[in-house]
């Protein structure tokens, strides 16, 4: 339900009407958008994004009684996606899924909408109390009904939500690297530079998205440092590329932030580093299983030879033919890797005593892996 109280339309209502007016211009024709770096780009992409946000805020599409966007039924999300396809077609040259890009816009719009409701609630609650906020009419600029307002007020008063809110507020205050691109994504800025045949590299993109004088001091410092380093490269005093310059300055800034007060926890570690260490553990396990397989096949061959030796003396007709042991020739060749400086089979088993112990007692292996992850 959209409100227009006292004949004075809210800012959101004016934006909604403006958005619908823009869409009405394209009635009967389909505009083409490009999917670049997972973002909607191209002619009138801002109209498409604003339209998705407008449809997301409508309660019949994305009700507020879901704590997370991913909990909303798929059929309601598809309704918004279908609305967009009534006016736009999305071309993906890299094989990316356009629907994932649309859902990302919807998720951000849904979270921002709930955040604005929370701010309005706090404004009333801080001046009076939770009960007063609960009994109040929803502010007109939110354009939500009383039922949704009551539900959200009760949600904001839960201990779990307060804990998450405090954590998010603290993280936002600690943020010293920000941008001035507004609602435009970095991918959209880069796309426009490329399509307009303008120079575009990592340093230029940072300057384009961090051009406001209201930027935090650290951002202004980073911008100047990057530009100075790039000029040094142009003068021949350095061989660093724009990408190298960006990575150097950005990583140094992140390091100084961590040294100043943030403790790097498991969740702040690079996902790539964690995956690499996990792969190393898995590779070690694979090598262990391969060694175990060789030893088992060797033991099978030894027992087969003993059986053949016995039957050759007493029951020659029951000896295993040579062609059934062809596979053992390959194993025999690989077994040479296990014999070091003339060690015999018994020495090989002694060398693998610890591994066999873990095999016999798998719980010990789990403890070792957990310990390794804790050390990381």
């Amino acid at each position: 339900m959209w409100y227009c109280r006292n004949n004075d339309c809210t800012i959101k209502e004016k934006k909604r009407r403006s958005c619908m007016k823009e869409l009405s211009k394209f009635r009967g024709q389909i505009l083409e958008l490009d999917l670049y770096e997972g973002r909607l780009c191209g002619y009138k992409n801002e109209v498409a994004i604003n339209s998705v946000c407008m449809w997301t805020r409508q309660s019949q599409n994305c009700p507020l009684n879901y704590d997370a966007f991913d909990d909303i039924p798929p059929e309601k999300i598809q309704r918004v996606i279908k609305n967009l396809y009534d006016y736009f077609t999305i071309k993906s040259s890299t094989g990316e899924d356009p629907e994932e890009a649309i859902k990302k816009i919807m998720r951000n719009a849904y979270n921002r909408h709930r955040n604005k409701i929370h701010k309005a609630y706090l404004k009333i609650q801080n001046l009076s109390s939770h009960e007063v906020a609960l009994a109040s009419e929803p502010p007109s600029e939110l354009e939500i009904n009383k039922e949704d307002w009551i539900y959200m007020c009760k949600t904001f008063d839960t201990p779990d939500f307060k804990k998450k809110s405090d954590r998010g507020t603290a993280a936002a205050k600690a943020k010293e690297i920000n941008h001035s691109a507004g609602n435009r994504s970095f991918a959209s800025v880069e796309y426009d530079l490329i399509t307009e045949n303008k120079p575009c590299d990592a340093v230029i993109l940072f300057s384009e998205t961090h051009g406001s004088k209201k930027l935090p001091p650290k951002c202004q410092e980073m911008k100047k440092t990057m530009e100075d380093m790039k000029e040094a490269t142009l003068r021949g005093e350095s061989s660093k590329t724009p990408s190298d310059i960006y990575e150097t300055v950005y990583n140094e800034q992140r390091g100084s932030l961590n040294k100043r007060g943030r403790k790097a926890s498991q969740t702040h570690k690079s996902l790539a580093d964690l995956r690499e260490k996990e792969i190393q553990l898995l590779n070690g396990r694979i090598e262990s299983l391969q060694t175990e397989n060789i030893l088992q096949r060797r033991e099978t061959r030894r027992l087969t030879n003993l059986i053949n030796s016995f039957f050759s003396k007493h029951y020659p007709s029951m000896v295993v033919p040579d062609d059934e042991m062809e596979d053992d020739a390959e194993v025999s060749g690989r077994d040479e890797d296990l014999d070091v400086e003339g060690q015999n089979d018994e020495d090989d088993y002694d060398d693998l005593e610890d591994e066999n112990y873990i095999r016999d007692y798998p719980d010990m292996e789990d403890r070792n892996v957990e310990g390794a992850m804790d050390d990381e």
Side-chain angles (χ1 to χ4, degrees), residues 267-283:
T267 56
H268 293 139
K269 289 185 178 180
S270 169
L271 182 59
D273 291 343
L274 292 177
R275 283 178 176 172
E276 183 178 351
K277 292 176 182 178
E278 185 175 330
I279 289 173
Q280 290 176 356
L281 289 173
L282 292 175
N283 286 337

Side-chain angles (χ1 to χ4, degrees), residues 4 18 20 24 29 40 44 69 73 84 87 96 114 132 163 172 219 250 263 302 308 330 335 355 363 372:
C4 192
S18 175
M20 295 303 298
S24 65
Q29 59 177 315
L40 298 184
K44 294 297 181 181
F69 173 80
L84 183 66
Y87 299 92
E96 297 176 282
R114 290 171 64 95
V132 173
K163 183 178 179 180
C219 281
Y250 188 76
K263 290 184 178 180
R302 186 181 68 83
N308 280 343
E330 182 182 355
D335 286 349
E355 178 188 332
D363 291 342

Side-chain angles (χ1 to χ4, degrees), residues 55-181:
W55 292 321
T56 301
R57 290 191 296 267
Q58 294 175 353
S59 59
Q60 66 268 29
N61 295 328
C62 298
L64 290 169
N65 59 344
Y66 294 97
D67 293 335
F69 173 80
D70 293 332
D71 296 335
I72 298 176
E75 59 271 15
K76 292 184 177 292
I77 295 175
Q78 286 299 322
R79 184 187 301 166
V80 175
I81 295 176
K82 183 182 179 301
N83 287 346
L84 183 66
Y85 280 138
D86 288 341
Y87 299 92
F88 297 91
T89 180
I90 304 173
K91 180 180 66 176
S92 175
S93 57
T94 59
E96 297 176 282
D97 186 3
E99 288 195 7
E100 289 301 319
I102 300 173
K103 288 179 183 178
K104 188 172 184 177
I105 297 172
M106 294 179 64
R107 182 179 290 104
N108 292 337
Y110 187 76
N111 292 337
R112 283 198 304 269
H113 187 38
R114 290 171 64 95
N115 181 54
K116 289 181 179 179
I117 298 174
H118 183 220
K119 287 182 177 179
Y121 164 80
L122 289 178
K123 189 174 182 180
I124 300 175
Q125 189 257 348
N126 291 337
L127 291 176
S128 51
S129 65
H130 167 72
E131 289 71 20
V132 173
L134 200 63
S136 302
E137 289 293 321
S140 59
E141 63 270 13
L142 298 179
E143 297 174 342
I144 62 174
N145 56 40
K146 184 63 180 290
E147 183 180 352
D148 286 339
W149 171 255
I150 293 175
Y151 175 84
M152 294 305 299
C153 288
K154 292 180 178 179
T155 300
F156 298 148
D157 195 47
T158 60
D160 185 53
F161 183 89
K162 289 180 179 180
K163 183 178 179 180
K164 292 180 180 178
S165 177
D166 292 342
R167 187 167 62 243
T169 301
K173 289 181 178 179
K175 188 176 180 181
E176 295 190 27
I177 302 178
N178 212 329
H179 65 86
S180 61

Side-chain angles (χ1 to χ4, degrees), residues 107-334:
R107 182 179 290 104
N108 292 337
Y110 187 76
N111 292 337
R112 283 198 304 269
H113 187 38
R114 290 171 64 95
N115 181 54
K116 289 181 179 179
I117 298 174
H118 183 220
K119 287 182 177 179
Y121 164 80
L122 289 178
K123 189 174 182 180
I124 300 175
Q125 189 257 348
N126 291 337
L127 291 176
S128 51
S129 65
H130 167 72
E131 289 71 20
V132 173
L134 200 63
S136 302
E137 289 293 321
S140 59
E141 63 270 13
L142 298 179
E143 297 174 342
I144 62 174
N145 56 40
K146 184 63 180 290
E147 183 180 352
D148 286 339
W149 171 255
I150 293 175
Y151 175 84
M152 294 305 299
C153 288
K154 292 180 178 179
T155 300
F156 298 148
D157 195 47
T158 60
D160 185 53
F161 183 89
K162 289 180 179 180
K163 183 178 179 180
K164 292 180 180 178
S165 177
D166 292 342
R167 187 167 62 243
T169 301
K173 289 181 178 179
K175 188 176 180 181
E176 295 190 27
I177 302 178
N178 212 329
H179 65 86
S180 61
N183 292 331
R184 294 184 67 198
S185 66
F186 288 6
S188 179
V189 175
E190 183 179 13
Y191 176 88
D192 291 342
L193 290 174
I194 294 174
T195 53
E196 295 172 6
N197 295 320
K198 294 181 179 180
C200 180
D201 57 42
V203 177
I204 292 176
L205 182 60
F206 187 87
S207 298
E208 288 288 330
T209 54
H210 298 77
S212 173
K213 294 182 180 179
K214 297 181 180 180
L215 284 175
K218 284 299 176 184
C219 281
Q220 296 181 18
E221 180 184 338
M222 290 173 64
K223 180 180 178 182
K224 186 176 185 307
T225 302
M226 289 183 190
E227 293 174 349
D228 292 343
M229 292 176 69
K230 185 176 181 181
E231 290 179 2
T233 300
L234 295 176
R235 292 194 302 266
E237 300 173 1
S238 173
S239 60
K240 287 188 174 182
T241 64
S243 296
D244 294 336
I245 293 172
Y246 173 82
E247 291 294 335
T248 300
V249 176
Y250 188 76
N251 288 335
E252 286 179 355
Q253 179 60 31
R254 289 187 64 187
S256 64
L257 286 176
N258 287 337
K259 289 179 181 178
R260 258 200 316 278
R262 290 189 186 178
K263 290 184 178 180
S265 65
Q266 188 76 6
T267 56
H268 293 139
K269 289 185 178 180
S270 169
L271 182 59
D273 291 343
L274 292 177
R275 283 178 176 172
E276 183 178 351
K277 292 176 182 178
E278 185 175 330
I279 289 173
Q280 290 176 356
L281 289 173
L282 292 175
N283 286 337
R285 181 60 179 159
I286 290 172
E287 292 178 2
S288 172
L289 292 173
Q290 289 174 341
T291 303
E292 178 182 352
N293 181 50
I294 291 174
L295 293 177
Q296 288 177 345
R297 297 182 70 173
R298 176 188 292 178
E299 179 65 12
T300 301
R301 188 177 70 254
R302 186 181 68 83
L303 293 175
T304 302
N305 290 337
L306 288 175
I307 294 172
N308 280 343
S309 176
F310 173 79
F311 281 111
S312 63
K313 293 179 181 180
H314 304 284
Y315 307 98
S317 62
M318 299 183 65
V319 175
V320 178
D322 292 338
D323 57 352
E324 293 185 12
M325 298 185 64
E326 288 180 354
D327 293 340
D328 291 336
E330 182 182 355
V331 177
S332 178
R334 289 199 301 267

